[in-house]
Amino acid sequence: MSNSNLKGNTSLFKCGFFLNLFTVVIGVAIASPPIPPENIEAEAPWFGKMIIRWSDDTLDEEGYYFQYRSVPQTEWITLSTLDSPLRELQLNGGSPTQEYEFRILSFNDDEVVASKLAKVIMPDRFLNSTFANLKYGTPFVFEMRANNISNSENITYEASSLPNGLSVDQNSGIISGSAEEDGFFDVLLRATYESPESVTSISFKLALRIPPQPSAPELINPIPPQELSLSEDSLTLNLGDFFIDPDTRKAIRIKTNKGEMVFSLFDKATPIPVDNFLDYVRAETYKNNIFHRSVTANSLKIIQSGSFFISENKLSSNITSNPIVNEPGIANERGTIAYARTSNPDSATSGWYINGGDSSGLDVGDSYTVFGRATQESLPIIDSIQEMSTGTFNLNINGQTTSVDDFPTNDGLEPNISTKENIVVVENIKIIKPLDYEIISVTDSNIARLSITSDEDNSELIINPLEVGTTKVKIQSTDIDGNRIDILFDVSVFNSFKEWALINNIEDNPDKYLLRYAFGKSLEISKKTPHRSPKIDIIDSPQGPKPAISFYQRNFSKDLKYTIQCSDNLNDWENIWNSENEEDSEIAVNSINVGEFSLFTITKTEFTEVNQNLFFRVLVQYLENN
């Protein structure tokens, strides 16, 4: 945006041609005379766009002359001299329903040889703008208006690649509905005339850029129970695998001497402008920039920065990359950020502005590229800058005295570049994560130590085991707008038999201590340590008294398998239960969790004879691979 071009005029059609070059083919030059290109063909996929292709198996020419003419005009116009490796070019422009002829001339020294002709008829055009403003979930109506040079009474309309929620009436040409997704949609409009001598009308593609609807964070996957060994250093979870903010994938924080502003960037609706802006951010182009302009009018309310920085108490222009193509279609509403430019729509570089209010005057004509929006908490900072006094001052920019209009200062006095006291300075702009994470609670912090680390791309939860057991953990995710979502999951720390033996300094033949490890038996029975040997008893059941065995099973070990067997003769043993299918077993009467152990009671349900001998035993198997 420049001082002299706050409003643009829409140019639906540009006369003449603009050349885009594509496709390089490398070959080996051969001797002259040149052989002209072959298989030259031309197409006009939609109004204003023509593509010309040809083949040439030799590189015996120094280059090509590209020529065109309008039929029935007979004079050839040389549009450009092309390098010999080229095999394709694109032209932007032309007139509706006009027939064009093209040819390629190969030249070498003084010899010029022409190819055969290629012809194409430029499609008719639509009278609509090449973009339309619409919002996610808001009713939208757009009427396609064909040029209809042939005055056809009946026209059939089509619109391809519409976003979900929009549809087109083929008879009226009205696109309507409510968009159900955000992003950029390059919609091709087509009108077929009833008159057989007419030409199908295809417009410039209609650009629909839909910013996302503000929303809270969502849980895309629950965090499953986390298990880790006591001997592990840590376990790491990428929290981005579980949480998402549907309306913000990329965000920035603009830090000024008046406060901080946070913006969500529309990376799906305007991907190229967003990437361009972030490239400047990463290069620290915006460090020590100033807000050099503030304008308030009936249909315009903006504050502008991104063009000049302070260095050694002087102002200098930012070093910029190539300009980007204007991508209008998102309204200049309060809190949005957009690219500044000159009267040329495709001239934006590093400059940007923020809409302090709805600036409908910027949505007419060629409009501007809006690529993000501020959070609600940022609006008071924007307002405070917008409300500053403005004036015209002579400033030293790039070593020259330059008059600058609408410059905002705290006191209405001359800008003090050296002290920065009465001007607004962008101290820096940083890329921030769309979501912040916080550990809200850990029921037992003795089990594991948890922490969160973050960089520009990822946030990771790191779990360090401390002792055997299970704890519940609650993580809270907060988006840039302050919306929150919580998730609760378990963290269990296990140890293995080998680890237990090492901790207890059992180095000589630790296998003989397997049962002590499995049942938690102590070498000396004391009041503090329960006796955990298996016990056999008679229990009551709905079917009457039943024999049962009760035993302790270590909870936090993944390398043990318990099997209950019974026998009536001490010779033939039958497996009736094992710990791998304990939850599905109907013979497990109950289980009581006792810290690191669970007390299981197992019965033989089909036992019915009175005074029958029945023996139980518990087998413990060490699963070393676990």
Side-chain angles (χ1 to χ4, degrees), residues 249-274:
R249 288 163 290 271
K250 295 182 179 179
I252 56 166
R253 176 179 288 112
I254 301 177
K255 183 180 180 182
T256 76
N257 58 344
K258 303 300 180 184
E260 293 185 350
M261 298 172 284
V262 174
F263 287 81
S264 171
L265 304 183
F266 303 149
D267 63 312
K268 283 183 66 177
T270 55
I272 295 176
V274 166

CSV table of all heavy atoms in Angstrom, one decimal, residues 249-274:
chain,number,residue,atom,x,y,z
A,249,ARG,N,-2.5,-23.0,12.1
A,249,ARG,CA,-1.4,-24.0,11.9
A,249,ARG,C,0.0,-23.2,12.0
A,249,ARG,O,1.0,-23.8,12.3
A,249,ARG,CB,-1.5,-24.6,10.6
A,249,ARG,CG,-2.6,-25.7,10.5
A,249,ARG,CD,-3.0,-26.1,9.1
A,249,ARG,NE,-3.7,-25.0,8.4
A,249,ARG,CZ,-5.0,-24.7,8.5
A,249,ARG,NH1,-5.8,-25.6,9.1
A,249,ARG,NH2,-5.5,-23.7,7.8
A,250,LYS,N,0.0,-21.9,11.7
A,250,LYS,CA,1.2,-21.1,11.8
A,250,LYS,C,0.8,-19.8,12.5
A,250,LYS,O,-0.3,-19.2,12.2
A,250,LYS,CB,1.8,-20.8,10.4
A,250,LYS,CG,2.3,-22.1,9.8
A,250,LYS,CD,2.9,-21.8,8.4
A,250,LYS,CE,3.5,-23.1,7.8
A,250,LYS,NZ,4.1,-22.8,6.4
A,251,ALA,N,1.7,-19.3,13.4
A,251,ALA,CA,1.3,-18.1,14.1
A,251,ALA,C,2.6,-17.3,14.4
A,251,ALA,O,3.7,-17.8,14.3
A,251,ALA,CB,0.7,-18.4,15.5
A,252,ILE,N,2.5,-16.0,14.6
A,252,ILE,CA,3.6,-15.1,14.9
A,252,ILE,C,3.2,-14.2,16.1
A,252,ILE,O,2.1,-14.0,16.4
A,252,ILE,CB,3.9,-14.2,13.7
A,252,ILE,CG1,2.7,-13.4,13.3
A,252,ILE,CG2,4.5,-15.0,12.6
A,252,ILE,CD1,3.0,-12.3,12.3
A,253,ARG,N,4.3,-13.7,16.8
A,253,ARG,CA,4.1,-12.7,17.8
A,253,ARG,C,4.9,-11.5,17.4
A,253,ARG,O,6.1,-11.5,17.1
A,253,ARG,CB,4.6,-13.2,19.1
A,253,ARG,CG,4.6,-12.2,20.3
A,253,ARG,CD,5.1,-12.7,21.6
A,253,ARG,NE,4.1,-13.6,22.2
A,253,ARG,CZ,4.3,-14.9,22.3
A,253,ARG,NH1,5.5,-15.5,21.9
A,253,ARG,NH2,3.4,-15.7,22.8
A,254,ILE,N,4.3,-10.3,17.3
A,254,ILE,CA,4.9,-9.1,17.0
A,254,ILE,C,5.1,-8.3,18.3
A,254,ILE,O,4.2,-7.9,18.9
A,254,ILE,CB,4.0,-8.2,16.0
A,254,ILE,CG1,3.8,-9.0,14.7
A,254,ILE,CG2,4.7,-6.9,15.7
A,254,ILE,CD1,2.9,-8.3,13.7
A,255,LYS,N,6.4,-8.2,18.7
A,255,LYS,CA,6.7,-7.5,19.9
A,255,LYS,C,7.1,-6.0,19.6
A,255,LYS,O,8.0,-5.8,18.8
A,255,LYS,CB,7.9,-8.2,20.6
A,255,LYS,CG,8.3,-7.5,21.9
A,255,LYS,CD,9.4,-8.3,22.6
A,255,LYS,CE,9.8,-7.6,23.9
A,255,LYS,NZ,11.0,-8.3,24.5
A,256,THR,N,6.3,-5.1,20.2
A,256,THR,CA,6.6,-3.7,20.0
A,256,THR,C,6.9,-3.0,21.3
A,256,THR,O,6.6,-3.6,22.4
A,256,THR,CB,5.4,-3.0,19.3
A,256,THR,OG1,4.4,-2.8,20.3
A,256,THR,CG2,4.9,-3.8,18.2
A,257,ASN,N,7.3,-1.8,21.3
A,257,ASN,CA,7.5,-1.1,22.6
A,257,ASN,C,6.2,-0.6,23.2
A,257,ASN,O,6.2,0.0,24.2
A,257,ASN,CB,8.5,0.1,22.4
A,257,ASN,CG,8.0,1.1,21.3
A,257,ASN,OD1,7.1,0.8,20.5
A,257,ASN,ND2,8.6,2.3,21.3
A,258,LYS,N,5.1,-0.9,22.5
A,258,LYS,CA,3.8,-0.6,23.0
A,258,LYS,C,3.0,-1.8,23.5
A,258,LYS,O,1.9,-1.7,24.0
A,258,LYS,CB,2.9,0.1,22.0
A,258,LYS,CG,3.6,1.4,21.5
A,258,LYS,CD,3.8,2.5,22.6
A,258,LYS,CE,4.4,3.7,22.0
A,258,LYS,NZ,4.8,4.7,23.1
A,259,GLY,N,3.6,-3.0,23.3
A,259,GLY,CA,3.0,-4.3,23.7
A,259,GLY,C,3.1,-5.3,22.6
A,259,GLY,O,3.7,-5.1,21.6
A,260,GLU,N,2.6,-6.5,22.9
A,260,GLU,CA,2.7,-7.6,22.0
A,260,GLU,C,1.4,-7.9,21.3
A,260,GLU,O,0.4,-7.9,21.9
A,260,GLU,CB,3.2,-8.9,22.7
A,260,GLU,CG,4.7,-8.7,23.2
A,260,GLU,CD,5.2,-10.0,23.9
A,260,GLU,OE1,4.3,-11.0,24.0
A,260,GLU,OE2,6.4,-10.1,24.2
A,261,MET,N,1.5,-8.3,20.0
A,261,MET,CA,0.4,-8.7,19.2
A,261,MET,C,0.6,-10.1,18.6
A,261,MET,O,1.7,-10.4,18.1
A,261,MET,CB,0.1,-7.7,18.1
A,261,MET,CG,-0.2,-6.3,18.5
A,261,MET,SD,-0.2,-5.1,17.2
A,261,MET,CE,1.5,-4.9,16.8
A,262,VAL,N,-0.4,-10.9,18.7
A,262,VAL,CA,-0.3,-12.3,18.2
A,262,VAL,C,-1.2,-12.5,17.0
A,262,VAL,O,-2.4,-12.0,17.1
A,262,VAL,CB,-0.6,-13.3,19.3
A,262,VAL,CG1,-0.6,-14.7,18.8
A,262,VAL,CG2,0.5,-13.2,20.4
A,263,PHE,N,-0.7,-13.1,16.0
A,263,PHE,CA,-1.5,-13.3,14.8
A,263,PHE,C,-1.6,-14.8,14.3
A,263,PHE,O,-0.5,-15.5,14.4
A,263,PHE,CB,-1.0,-12.5,13.6
A,263,PHE,CG,-1.2,-11.0,13.7
A,263,PHE,CD1,-0.4,-10.2,14.6
A,263,PHE,CD2,-2.3,-10.4,13.1
A,263,PHE,CE1,-0.6,-8.9,14.7
A,263,PHE,CE2,-2.5,-9.1,13.2
A,263,PHE,CZ,-1.7,-8.3,14.0
A,264,SER,N,-2.7,-15.2,13.9
A,264,SER,CA,-2.9,-16.5,13.2
A,264,SER,C,-2.7,-16.2,11.7
A,264,SER,O,-3.4,-15.3,11.2
A,264,SER,CB,-4.3,-17.1,13.5
A,264,SER,OG,-4.5,-18.2,12.7
A,265,LEU,N,-1.9,-17.0,11.0
A,265,LEU,CA,-1.7,-16.8,9.6
A,265,LEU,C,-2.5,-17.8,8.8
A,265,LEU,O,-2.6,-19.0,9.2
A,265,LEU,CB,-0.2,-17.0,9.3
A,265,LEU,CG,0.8,-16.1,10.1
A,265,LEU,CD1,2.2,-16.3,9.7
A,265,LEU,CD2,0.4,-14.6,10.0
A,266,PHE,N,-3.0,-17.4,7.7
A,266,PHE,CA,-3.9,-18.2,6.8
A,266,PHE,C,-3.1,-19.0,5.8
A,266,PHE,O,-3.0,-18.7,4.6
A,266,PHE,CB,-4.9,-17.3,6.1
A,266,PHE,CG,-5.7,-16.4,7.0
A,266,PHE,CD1,-6.2,-15.2,6.6
A,266,PHE,CD2,-6.1,-16.9,8.3
A,266,PHE,CE1,-7.0,-14.4,7.4
A,266,PHE,CE2,-6.9,-16.1,9.1
A,266,PHE,CZ,-7.3,-14.8,8.7
A,267,ASP,N,-2.4,-20.0,6.3
A,267,ASP,CA,-1.4,-20.7,5.5
A,267,ASP,C,-2.1,-21.6,4.4
A,267,ASP,O,-1.5,-21.9,3.4
A,267,ASP,CB,-0.5,-21.6,6.3
A,267,ASP,CG,-1.2,-22.7,7.1
A,267,ASP,OD1,-2.3,-22.3,7.7
A,267,ASP,OD2,-0.8,-23.8,7.0
A,268,LYS,N,-3.4,-21.9,4.6
A,268,LYS,CA,-4.1,-22.7,3.6
A,268,LYS,C,-4.7,-21.8,2.5
A,268,LYS,O,-4.8,-22.1,1.4
A,268,LYS,CB,-5.1,-23.6,4.2
A,268,LYS,CG,-4.6,-24.9,4.9
A,268,LYS,CD,-5.7,-25.7,5.4
A,268,LYS,CE,-6.5,-26.3,4.3
A,268,LYS,NZ,-7.6,-27.2,4.8
A,269,ALA,N,-5.2,-20.7,3.0
A,269,ALA,CA,-5.9,-19.8,2.1
A,269,ALA,C,-4.9,-18.9,1.3
A,269,ALA,O,-5.2,-18.6,0.1
A,269,ALA,CB,-6.9,-18.8,2.8
A,270,THR,N,-3.8,-18.6,1.9
A,270,THR,CA,-2.8,-17.8,1.2
A,270,THR,C,-1.4,-18.4,1.5
A,270,THR,O,-0.6,-17.7,2.2
A,270,THR,CB,-2.8,-16.3,1.7
A,270,THR,OG1,-2.7,-16.3,3.1
A,270,THR,CG2,-4.1,-15.6,1.3
A,271,PRO,N,-1.1,-19.5,1.0
A,271,PRO,CA,0.2,-20.2,1.3
A,271,PRO,C,1.4,-19.4,0.9
A,271,PRO,O,2.4,-19.3,1.7
A,271,PRO,CB,0.1,-21.6,0.7
A,271,PRO,CG,-0.9,-21.4,-0.4
A,271,PRO,CD,-1.9,-20.4,0.1
A,272,ILE,N,1.4,-18.9,-0.3
A,272,ILE,CA,2.6,-18.2,-0.8
A,272,ILE,C,2.9,-16.9,0.0
A,272,ILE,O,4.0,-16.6,0.4
A,272,ILE,CB,2.5,-18.0,-2.3
A,272,ILE,CG1,2.5,-19.3,-3.1
A,272,ILE,CG2,3.7,-17.1,-2.8
A,272,ILE,CD1,2.3,-19.2,-4.6
A,273,PRO,N,1.9,-16.1,0.2
A,273,PRO,CA,2.1,-14.9,1.0
A,273,PRO,C,2.6,-15.2,2.4
A,273,PRO,O,3.4,-14.5,2.9
A,273,PRO,CB,0.7,-14.2,1.0
A,273,PRO,CG,0.1,-14.6,-0.3
A,273,PRO,CD,0.5,-16.0,-0.5
A,274,VAL,N,2.0,-16.2,3.0
A,274,VAL,CA,2.4,-16.6,4.4
A,274,VAL,C,3.9,-17.0,4.4
A,274,VAL,O,4.7,-16.6,5.2
A,274,VAL,CB,1.5,-17.7,4.9
A,274,VAL,CG1,2.1,-18.3,6.2
A,274,VAL,CG2,0.1,-17.1,5.3
